Amino acid sequence: MSTILFLMTGADHWTLADGTRHPTGFWAEEAVAPYEAFRDAGHEIVVATPGGVVPPVDRGSLEAGANGGQENADRVSALLDSFTELHSPLSLEEVDLGDYDAVYLPGGHGPMEDLAVDTVSGDLLTTALETGKLLGVVCHAPAAMLAAERPDGANPFAGYQVSAFTNTEETQAGLADKAAWLLQDRLVEAGVDFQEGEPWSPKVVVDRNLVTGQNPASSAPLAQEMLRLMG
């Protein structure tokens, strides 16, 4: 049995370009689909957030329209209820990466607010990447890569193939023109080799010990790829 760290947002809003707060958090499917896969494979899950706050779920991610119908929305809600580790997170400062076999970051717009500028999170990601620890990141969670920095100021993810929520998807979701910045743009500026697939279709990219997914539909296949790599 392995222990997997879920590094999650503590933000319940995303500040838009005009200063308004867009309610958000983590995207339910991106947390519960990997949680179910890892749990069913016998692995232990530990949650950590900035400040050790209980990660807030984006309420929109529990709606029927976000889950392909009410039946699947009910299933996601039930899985979320079973994810009891969410209620007792560590603070990021308490995390010793040596205790974990893999690290996973679910998205939602929350990471755009806090993990994108959280240097403790950035240092954890840098250490995971550079020590070869398996690292899975999906949808908007690659925003956390923006807070990662080597001593020389370079981004450690520069040159890695990375998929993440695309400008096209943000536009189709209706938030691109309201955003202060777009994830795809910032990742490209940081030097990653951005891999863009069809909007809303599963896309998982593996580059060395880094596994990234483009959107919510990518979270379950990303978890399966992590399980395969964990052996």
Side-chain angles (χ1 to χ4, degrees):
M1 184 181 77
S2 296
T3 305
I4 302 171
L5 178 70
F6 273 50
L7 200 166
M8 298 181 66
T9 182
D12 63 3
H13 68 276
W14 177 33
T15 304
L16 301 178
D18 65 359
T20 60
R21 291 185 167 196
H22 176 72
T24 187
F26 69 87
W27 197 257
E29 179 183 2
E30 296 169 24
V32 303
Y35 175 75
E36 180 182 34
F38 297 149
R39 182 195 63 189
D40 290 354
H43 301 306
E44 181 182 353
I45 307 298
V46 175
V47 174
T49 64
V53 302
V54 174
V57 65
D58 186 319
R59 305 309 301 181
S61 69
L62 299 175
E63 295 175 358
N67 291 285
Q70 191 60 49
E71 182 178 352
N72 200 47
D74 291 343
R75 179 177 177 277
V76 167
S77 291
L79 279 167
L80 192 62
D81 289 341
S82 74
F83 194 165
T84 55
E85 294 88 346
L86 288 170
H87 305 302
S88 53
L90 301 175
S91 70
L92 296 184
E93 290 82 2
E94 295 177 273
V95 171
D96 180 350
L97 280 179
D99 296 337
Y100 304 98
D101 301 282
V103 181
Y104 172 69
L105 284 73
H109 282 105
M112 301 275 283
E113 184 72 21
D114 60 356
L115 298 184
V117 294
D118 191 297
T119 56
V120 178
S121 170
D123 289 346
L124 287 171
L125 265 63
T126 300
T127 300
L129 189 73
E130 296 188 341
T131 59
K133 195 173 296 288
L134 185 60
L135 179 60
V137 197
V138 73
C139 199
H140 286 93
M145 297 176 185
L146 301 174
E149 188 176 297
R150 287 201 180 103
D152 64 1
N155 190 296
F157 292 91
Y160 276 77
Q161 291 190 341
V162 172
S163 189
F165 204 68
T166 65
N167 289 353
T168 299
E169 287 166 321
E170 203 72 83
T171 299
Q172 292 179 0
L175 287 167
D177 61 344
K178 301 173 184 175
W181 53 275
L182 296 176
L183 180 57
Q184 180 176 347
D185 292 346
R186 284 285 180 90
L187 289 171
V188 170
E189 290 168 8
V192 309
D193 180 3
F194 195 90
Q195 303 291 304
E196 181 173 359
E198 289 297 315
W200 313 107
S201 296
K203 183 174 181 62
V204 176
V205 175
V206 180
D207 188 343
R208 288 157 276 184
N209 58 312
L210 178 65
V211 187
T212 53
Q214 180 171 313
N215 46 36
S218 306
S219 54
L222 182 148
Q224 292 303 320
E225 187 63 28
M226 289 184 68
L227 288 170
R228 185 187 70 80
L229 292 168
M230 290 169 67

